[in-house]
Structure formats: structure tokens, C-alpha cells
Amino acid sequence: MTFPMTEEQALIRQTVHEFAENEIAPRAAEIDAMDAFPHDIFQKMAALGLLGIPFSEQYGGAGSDYNSLIIVLEEIARVSGSVALILDAHSSLCCEPIALFGSEAQKQKYLIPLARGEKIGAFGLTEPQAGSDAGATRTRALRDGDEWVLNGEKIFITNGTVADVLVVTAKTDPQKGTRGISAFILEKGTPGFRVGHEEKKMGLKGTATTELFFEDCRIPAANLLGQENQGFKQFLVTLDAGRVAIAAMALGLARGAYERALAYSQERVQFDQPIADFQAIQWMLAEMATDIDAARLMIARAADLRSRGQRFIKEAAMAKLFATEVSERVCYKAIQIHGGYGYLQDYAVERMYRDQRLCAIGEGTNEIQHLVIARQILGR
Ligand SMILES: Cc1cc2nc3c(=O)[nH]c(=O)nc-3n(C[C@H](O)[C@H](O)[C@H](O)COP(=O)(O)OP(=O)(O)OC[C@H]3O[C@@H](n4cnc5c(N)ncnc54)[C@H](O)[C@@H]3O)c2cc1C
């Protein structure tokens, strides 16, 4: 089974490849070192139409398909995991639920500026007591006339500090468990909404990972996303697609590390010959290339099913599980091929190894992916 790219997808890959090489790659090490959100690159991505790839032109998007977003994420992650995660959180986690479940008025007000990149988006689901067990959400939303009043907190929210628009979840009917959760659209600057401190992370620096606090935060009733008490279902749907996106990010990081190791192995001379002449190095390169190829096929299959509106829950979880493990293996080997130099911050493989680690944790840990796959296989 192969997944040939359409002419449009091939053009998008080529354009984004060049953009990533010319505009992002030269800044990637600096973003990592400075740990500051790269506003300049976000604006350049907006100008190129990358912030609303899969959304229709009517709503400010590029009118491309979901496969194209996956291609873009891979190409960007190949040079910078941080910029890929910023795009993922903005597009796949914030814009996507508004596009899927938002009213026409919400799409006009929020999706259009988000897809155009005039505003930055974030998605707030995780809480101190609700990580993998997202149904254990404690943030509460109470209806008061024409408003909802939110109280609670979120943690680990990508783009949290810089976001203008956030999609957040809260319990609207605590007695109903996961059937009593709703999603809301929240604007930066709403009274009672406060962003906490920015986390210091192992990698993916430059992505602003923050706490969010809601203290009697009043938002208009019109900002309920979709139907009341449908939030749990909505974020499960959002995260199914999000898994393919984070798998593409893991694949891009693996590709970036592999390409650097391949080049280095032909330049580095030991025992009077390039280290690529040694069978040990050749085997590592062969395994890396094979792993990357397999991951790409799995991701393309999941994205293709989703683009055609078919069921893809199992395939998305499998692609995420496999691609993130591939990324770990490939980045490990890329450092090994670089020897001691690979351990230094002067070489991009060191950053890529740190960046890829999140992919097995975010948007459902890999243990949760095992559960999802097993449930699909067993029909439970
Ligand atoms: C850099 C970064 C960015 C993030 N961005 C966002 C964001 O933008 N929005 C957002 O909402 N969240 C975000 N997250 C949160 C992320 O989705 C969670 O960290 C993740 O879902 C895991 O939750 P947890 O950290 O509470 O771990 P826990 O759920 O406490 O898991 C701890 C361990 O227990 C395992 N475990 C838990 N339950 C089970 C089970 N039933 N069976 C087997 N094993 C289990 C897990 O797999 C893991 O190994 C981000 C996290 C990080 C680190």
C-alpha cells in the first residue's frame, strides 16, 4: 500500500522544506538556547499560510487537506521540534475543535484570525489531578445568566503565555462524570483568567508551557463550544487527529537526526577511513532509514483515513506509538554515530534527542496508546 502525494501536497512539501531550511533552521539552536517564543517565525509561518493549512479558505485557512498539515509538521520538525509543537498546538489542538464543533459565529470570530495567524491558539485540557485521566477534570463552569463562571486550573499548556484564544475544558455537570464536561473558547485578558509561570523543560524550548488559572472567570454563554456536556467526546476526537500530528513531529525529528548522522558518517574519518565504511555504522544507518520509512507509511495511512472521513482511531494510536519510539531510537543512534561530538550542544542531534522525548508523553502517553489500540482490537 503506497500513499503517493498529490501535486498540491508535493508542492507544499517542497515550499515548506525550503522555508524551514532558510528561515527556521538558522534560528533553531538560538530558540533552544534562549528559550523564548519565536514570534518572528510565527509571523513568517502566518505569511506563508501555514497556520490554517487544513481549514477552508472561507475561514481564513489554506483550504488544503489534513495530509498536508502532517507534511508541514514533519518538514518543520526536521529542523525545529519547538516550532513544530507551536504549530501543532495552534492548529491541530486549538483551531481544529473550533472548526469541527464551533458555531458559524465562533468560526467568524475566532477561527478566521487564528487560521490567518493574526492570533495564537492554545488548548487547555490537562490539570494537576487530570493527566492521562482527563475525565478527572476539576475545573468547574457554572452557568450564571448569560455567562459561564470558571474556577480551576490547567497545567502544561503549550502556547499558554502567548495565546490570544484558548479552548479549555471544564465540568458543567459533575454528577455525570465524563458526560458532564464541556469545552469553552476563552480570550486572553478575560477578567479572572491568569497565566502562571512558564515551565523549564528538558527540550522543546521556546514553546511556552504554562499553568492557567481561572478565578471567577466570566465568559459569555456564547463561548460554549458545541453542545453542553459534549466536551469529553470533543477532545477525544481532537486528540485522535492530534496523535497523527505529534507522530509527524516525531518523524520529522527522526529524519533531521538521521540526515545529520548520514552526512557526518561520511565526513568523519577514523582508522584512515570514513566511519560510514564500518559495518556497525552502516547497520545503524540501515535501521534508522527502515524505521523512518515504516513510521512514515503508518502516519500517511492514518492521515489518509482521516482525510477520507473514515475511522482511524486504531491507526492514529499505532502511528503515534510507533513513530515516537522510532524517533527515540533514531535520535539515540544519531548521537552514537556522532560519538562524543553528538553529546555537545554544538551539534543539532543533541537538541533533537531532547526534543523528541515529549512525543511519547504529550497528547496521550504511549501507555495510553497501548490501551487505545488494545480496546480497538478487542472491540471494547
Ligand atoms: C511539554 C508539554 C506540553 C504539553 N502541552 C499540553 C497542551 O498544550 N495542552 C494540554 O492539555 N496538555 C498538555 N500537556 C500535558 C500532557 O498531555 C500530559 O503530560 C500527558 O497527557 C500525561 O499526563 P500526566 O503528565 O499527568 O501523566 P500521568 O497521567 O500522571 O501519567 C504518569 C505515568 O502513568 C502512566 N499511566 C497513567 N494512566 C495509565 C493507565 N490507565 N494505564 C497505564 N499507564 C498509565 C502514564 O503513561 C505515565 O507513564 C503537555 C505536556 C508537556 C510535558
Side-chain angles (χ1 to χ4, degrees), residues 123-326:
F123 175 68
L125 173 67
T126 307
E127 299 185 4
Q129 288 79 22
S132 301
D133 183 11
T137 297
R138 288 193 186 172
T139 296
R140 187 83 171 86
L142 273 172
R143 184 74 186 254
D144 183 18
D146 279 349
E147 293 176 321
W148 287 96
V149 185
L150 267 65
N151 279 288
E153 68 180 292
K154 301 282 172 185
I155 55 167
F156 295 155
I157 308 309
T158 303
N159 295 346
T161 332
V162 290
D164 304 291
V165 177
L166 303 98
V167 172
V168 298
T169 52
K171 278 243 158 94
T172 32
D173 194 342
Q175 312 305 324
K176 289 192 180 159
T178 56
R179 293 200 176 94
I181 296 175
S182 303
F184 299 89
I185 304 174
L186 178 76
E187 289 183 43
K188 179 184 184 172
T190 305
F193 168 53
R194 184 166 60 83
V195 176
H197 82 283
E198 226 172 275
E199 305 293 351
K200 291 284 165 216
K201 306 187 294 293
M202 169 184 186
L204 295 170
K205 303 197 179 206
T207 67
T209 313
T210 48
E211 303 162 309
L212 311 176
F213 295 100
F214 313 105
E215 290 145 358
D216 289 332
C217 172
R218 289 181 169 269
I219 57 176
N223 281 28
L224 173 75
L225 185 61
Q227 302 293 312
E228 189 177 337
N229 292 336
Q230 294 298 306
F232 192 77
K233 271 193 204 158
Q234 290 169 353
F235 73 68
L236 287 183
V237 171
T238 303
L239 289 181
D240 281 334
R243 279 166 192 156
V244 190
I246 204 144
M249 178 179 149
L251 172 65
L253 282 160
R255 237 182 90 208
Y258 161 74
E259 288 172 9
R260 282 165 175 79
L262 182 64
Y264 185 83
S265 71
Q266 293 166 82
E267 290 156 12
R268 174 70 171 166
V269 172
Q270 287 292 276
F271 301 96
D272 299 322
Q273 52 190 317
I275 59 170
D277 286 357
F278 302 130
Q279 194 184 48
I281 301 293
Q282 290 175 6
W283 279 36
M284 279 197 269
L285 290 169
E287 286 166 357
M288 291 156 89
T290 307
D291 259 349
I292 287 171
D293 224 29
R296 178 178 284 129
L297 284 171
M298 290 181 76
I299 291 167
R301 177 182 64 171
D304 184 61
L305 286 171
R306 194 207 182 253
S307 283
R308 288 190 285 117
Q310 296 189 9
R311 196 172 168 81
F312 72 113
I313 297 173
K314 182 181 73 184
E315 289 77 9
M318 284 177 163
K320 199 256 184 195
L321 175 61
F322 187 73
T324 56
E325 290 186 349
V326 160

Side-chain angles (χ1 to χ4, degrees), residues 8 11 25 30 34 67 111 121 140 153 191 214-215 254 357 364:
E8 188 197 343
L11 182 65
E30 189 196 337
M34 302 303 288
N67 303 46
L111 183 56
R140 187 83 171 86
E153 68 180 292
F214 313 105
E215 290 145 358
R357 191 62 187 84

